Amino acid sequence: MKLNVYADKMSQPSRAVVFFCKVNGIDYEEIKVHIPKGQHLTPEFEAINLMQKLPAIADGRFKLFESHAIHIYLAYAFPGVADYWVVPEAIR
């Protein structure tokens, strides 16, 4: 199943998650959620993210929001992502 990334390009954290997926070759589908139209406040999006904030992801039945948490999850869940994305320099 393909990773769903819920994002609005107006949101810098959303752009960061989309960029991370592209750079690391993660197969994903970007689902546009337009903040100015209030699409993040709908009951449908609330089922994805109770906080109704962007970005958010759905990987099968697993759902996650908050860009930093998403980056860490993607780095560990998808093979081929280099460890320098999440492993601090001091412990390498």
Side-chain angles (χ1 to χ4, degrees):
M1 179 170 276
K2 190 180 275 192
L3 174 74
N4 290 326
V5 177
Y6 297 84
D8 185 335
K9 296 288 178 74
M10 285 181 54
S11 160
Q12 185 280 324
S14 291
R15 291 191 306 268
V17 170
V18 170
F19 177 76
F20 186 89
C21 290
K22 286 181 181 181
V23 165
N24 288 291
I26 296 172
D27 188 24
Y28 73 98
E29 178 180 352
E30 183 179 348
I31 299 171
K32 295 180 180 131
V33 180
H34 297 281
I35 294 172
K37 293 181 180 178
Q39 291 179 342
H40 62 298
L41 303 174
T42 63
E44 293 83 9
F45 186 70
E46 187 177 17
I48 302 299
N49 179 0
L50 292 174
M51 301 298 289
Q52 297 178 308
K53 305 285 184 191
L54 293 171
I57 64 167
D59 188 13
R61 292 179 49 197
F62 179 72
K63 299 170 188 167
L64 186 64
F65 60 96
E66 188 357 81
S67 63
H68 186 73
I70 292 170
H71 283 107
I72 292 170
Y73 171 77
L74 295 175
Y76 286 106
F78 289 87
V81 176
D83 66 351
Y84 59 75
W85 288 102
V86 292
V87 177
E89 185 70 29
I91 59 174
R92 269 197 227 158

